[in-house]
Amino acid sequence: MPFRWSGRATQTLAAAALSALLLASAGKHFREPEFFDQVVPDFLCRDDSGAGPNGPLAVLSRQEWVAVCGLLEAGAAVGLLIPATRPATAGCVTALFTLFLAGHVDALRRAYGPDGTPRQRRVHALRLPLQAPLMAWAWSPTKPGAGQPALPKTVPGRRP
């Protein structure tokens, strides 16, 4: 008897794989925070040195932003594994990846600036386009899988 993949099984596998990726990324946020430093836009970073004024969005230091993002990714990894929270978590992860776009664009802009290096240009030129498939992957668990019945439509005052 051949094994047939259902839409639900595919969706569960995709969510588990994304969860593993998020968990690995969360761990890297704490093992190698400098890897993520360049992706945090300057306008979000509080300057504790007193060298200049802080903008209204600069509520955390660069290191604190990296740690918060790592914690969010770890929480999202858990949320994707729980079927009841998977659709909401997937929507939040998609929003998170969308917000990360600003950081990737800013990092690429700085890499091509006067202080940028050829390595930074290569790394950020590769990281930016990866965001689109990541956002699509993150969004996929928000929809019922193929072969999985959607919630029945109900009309007010009528029984289903």
Side-chain angles (χ1 to χ4, degrees), residues 37 40-47 53-55 57-63 65:
D37 281 350
V40 181
D42 291 336
F43 67 87
L44 289 177
C45 299
R46 183 182 68 227
D47 182 11
N54 289 313
L57 298 176
V59 294
L60 299 174
S61 69
R62 189 172 307 277
Q63 294 76 22
W65 277 115

Side-chain angles (χ1 to χ4, degrees), residues 24-57:
S25 177
K28 189 171 179 88
H29 276 77
F30 296 101
R31 280 190 319 278
E32 297 178 52
E34 62 279 353
F35 180 78
F36 299 96
D37 281 350
Q38 295 177 349
V39 185
V40 181
D42 291 336
F43 67 87
L44 289 177
C45 299
R46 183 182 68 227
D47 182 11
D48 293 333
S49 69
N54 289 313
L57 298 176

